[in-house]
Amino acid sequence: MTILINFHGNLRQLLPPRFRRIPSVNYRLQRQASIKDIVESLRIPHTEVGRLLVGGRDVSFSSLVGKQDIIDVFPHGRFFDVFHPTSLRPAALVDLKFLVDINVGKLASLLRMLGFDTKYQPLLDDPELASIASRERRILLSRDRNLLKRKIVEFGHLVREIKPLNQAIEIVELFALRDKIRPFSRCLRCNGRLREVAKDKISSLEPLTRKYYNDFKRCTVCGQIYWPGSHRQKMERVLAEIIGERNE
Ligand SMILES: [Zn+2]
């Protein structure tokens, strides 16, 4: 039995090379399979799919495919709206939280720099990553297609860019985060929230830092102190690249 699958938009670039230049894939079905299994056997993790139609009707990932079905597979629309329930993801997210895989590890501090809740524990293996993403309802960011194909991963993204800065821009654009950026609100080391702290409450400052700076923030979790010194200037340059303008 052969079914016809149309891959739309940028999904085609994820297909095996021999399918990238043709409009539709003729897929030989050996046994009854869900649409998720079929799409993923063509190397596209379900996290990349924004809409699935069979014969023009919206279906879910678990739908079974029958004879002579025509399937349309779409990427996320203008952006991936994780807060809006869809046929594919009926339980929308309430908060925006990320989980970063080690193969895109540098994204963690960049996303934290932008103020986004980003968990990063480099020693976790794939089953643990998938399970945390599912349990804590975090968006799993990775370059590992097999990790993202795991069924319990509801929200995720196959990161396409190679350079960390470009990856951060990719995430900001995909999830439409530009208006949600809150620079210098989260600890780069541990993801804890930062609070302003009076200078005289900090005992560990170098004399010159104490003399020249007045605005300090402290991580509410690990206690790390942040101030507008050289570290922050470097961060501002990075931010300017990501959001296209200088902050503050
Ligand atoms: Zn911290």
Side-chain angles (χ1 to χ4, degrees):
M1 175 165 87
T2 302
I3 52 171
L4 194 68
I5 314 179
N6 303 313
F7 286 95
H8 296 267
N10 61 15
L11 289 181
R12 215 177 278 172
Q13 294 151 19
L14 299 180
L15 289 167
R18 68 182 187 282
F19 294 133
R20 282 180 202 160
R21 288 171 190 278
I22 52 176
S24 314
V25 174
N26 279 304
Y27 188 87
R28 275 189 78 77
L29 206 56
Q30 315 284 1
R31 56 179 173 85
Q32 201 169 43
S34 70
I35 296 194
K36 176 179 181 294
D37 290 341
I38 293 170
V39 167
E40 292 190 334
S41 74
L42 292 165
R43 302 190 64 217
I44 298 180
H46 69 285
T47 51
E48 307 315 292
V49 177
R51 196 174 181 203
L52 275 175
L53 302 179
V54 172
R57 285 207 330 261
D58 277 286
V59 294
S60 69
F61 285 122
S62 57
S63 298
L64 299 176
V65 175
K67 229 191 242 175
Q68 294 173 341
D69 272 337
I70 297 178
I71 302 176
D72 286 280
V73 186
F74 295 88
H76 300 288
R78 198 162 46 83
F79 65 95
F80 186 174
D81 185 359
V82 294
F83 301 114
H84 183 77
T86 63
S87 302
L88 295 184
R89 297 174 187 87
L93 292 181
V94 179
D95 307 305
L96 187 80
K97 294 182 288 188
F98 293 105
L99 174 63
V100 167
D101 190 5
I102 192 167
N103 54 33
V104 288
K106 288 195 171 142
L107 249 184
S109 56
L110 290 173
L111 291 175
R112 287 172 182 169
M113 199 184 288
L114 300 175
F116 299 118
D117 182 339
T118 307
K119 193 170 212 169
Y120 177 52
Q121 294 172 346
L123 298 179
L124 296 178
D125 63 16
D126 283 8
E128 288 169 322
L129 280 168
S131 144
I132 291 174
S134 163
R135 200 172 56 238
E136 298 183 10
R137 307 213 74 204
R138 289 179 178 272
I139 301 171
L140 180 54
L141 304 176
S142 178
R143 291 182 59 81
D144 178 352
R145 297 189 194 211
N146 287 330
L147 170 61
L148 295 169
K149 285 177 182 178
R150 287 174 181 258
K151 199 172 180 179
I152 60 167
V153 177
E154 260 184 294
F155 291 88
H157 176 58
L158 179 71
V159 177
R160 319 287 165 87
E161 294 284 351
I162 306 292
K163 288 186 179 169
L165 254 181
N166 294 339
Q167 292 175 343
I169 295 168
E170 177 183 343
I171 300 306
V172 166
E173 284 176 359
L174 177 68
F175 296 98
L177 301 180
R178 219 159 268 271
D179 295 340
K180 296 182 174 151
I181 292 173
R182 303 284 179 271
F184 313 114
S185 61
R186 214 167 264 278
C187 179
L188 303 188
R189 282 210 316 203
C190 82
N191 194 41
R193 283 185 189 281
L194 302 186
R195 289 254 164 76
E196 280 174 26
V197 57
K199 184 155 60 170
D200 57 15
K201 295 254 166 56
I202 311 169
S203 54
S204 57
L205 293 180
E206 299 284 333
L208 285 179
T209 308
R210 186 174 294 279
K211 184 172 176 192
Y212 288 112
Y213 295 101
N214 292 306
D215 302 323
F216 292 89
K217 286 184 175 178
R218 178 154 58 198
C219 173
T220 52
V221 178
C222 77
Q224 172 86 3
I225 303 288
Y226 291 84
W227 68 91
S230 56
H231 185 55
R232 175 138 165 188
Q233 281 169 13
K234 189 176 154 213
M235 281 168 61
E236 283 188 356
R237 279 201 297 275
V238 171
L239 271 172
E241 292 240 17
I242 295 174
I243 61 183
E245 61 191 17
R246 199 159 267 281
N247 220 281
E248 292 187 353

